[in-house]
Amino acid sequence: MTRTHEKVSSLPAGKPVNGYTRETAAAGVEEAKKLFEGRWKLEILFHLFGGKILRFSDLERAIPAISQKMLAQQLRRLESDGLVTRTVYQQVPPKVEYALTEWGQSLCPSLDALLTWLAARPEPEDAGAGE
């Protein structure tokens, strides 16, 4: 099996692969990681995938372990990052709906690929050793 560090180490220093150098790829990963900081962001995104439009109370029910304060904070952050849109309807009682932006929805195939990759994880070789 070829290891990633062997493939990367054979590349000339600074030569772009798929438009990225090691440095720009590392910076991009850091930027992407910041978008998903927070315990609940990915779970919120998964509930909104597929073009779903959910109200705050729908998200509260879908994620029972999250507090109202934390849900509101995470939704505000996702909105400011451009992943989620918030629509407020001027009515009584107030109605607020959340949906993914087009850019947020475009993340779905990447997260599906991540889940597929995780499902293919081999069992650790030392599993069950010493039992």
Side-chain angles (χ1 to χ4, degrees), residues 25-101:
V29 167
E30 183 66 28
E31 186 177 345
K33 189 174 80 170
K34 286 180 182 177
L35 287 174
F36 305 118
E37 282 180 331
R39 179 177 175 187
W40 303 104
K41 283 184 179 178
L42 285 174
E43 193 166 344
I44 292 168
L45 290 173
F46 273 105
H47 284 290
L48 293 172
F49 279 136
K52 291 182 184 169
I53 299 171
L54 297 176
R55 295 178 69 174
F56 187 89
S57 59
D58 297 331
L59 286 165
E60 270 187 309
R61 280 190 295 279
I63 312 169
I66 193 171
S67 69
Q68 282 186 348
K69 179 182 175 184
M70 183 56 64
L71 179 57
Q73 286 175 353
Q74 297 294 283
L75 285 166
R76 275 195 299 272
R77 187 63 193 188
L78 287 166
E79 182 183 11
S80 71
D81 289 338
L83 293 167
V84 168
T85 111
R86 178 178 185 256
T87 306
V88 179
Y89 297 92
Q90 298 301 320
Q91 66 182 46
V92 177
K95 179 180 174 182
V96 179
E97 293 179 334
Y98 296 90
L100 291 177
T101 61

Side-chain angles (χ1 to χ4, degrees), residues 2-3 7 19-20 45 47 80 82 85 90 102 105 110 113:
T2 304
R3 298 195 180 271
K7 287 191 248 179
Y20 294 102
L45 290 173
H47 284 290
S80 71
T85 111
Q90 298 301 320
E102 188 176 326
Q105 189 63 42
S110 299

Side-chain angles (χ1 to χ4, degrees), residues 112-123:
D112 282 344
L114 184 63
L115 290 173
T116 300
W117 171 78
L118 185 62
R121 178 174 49 181
E123 291 293 322

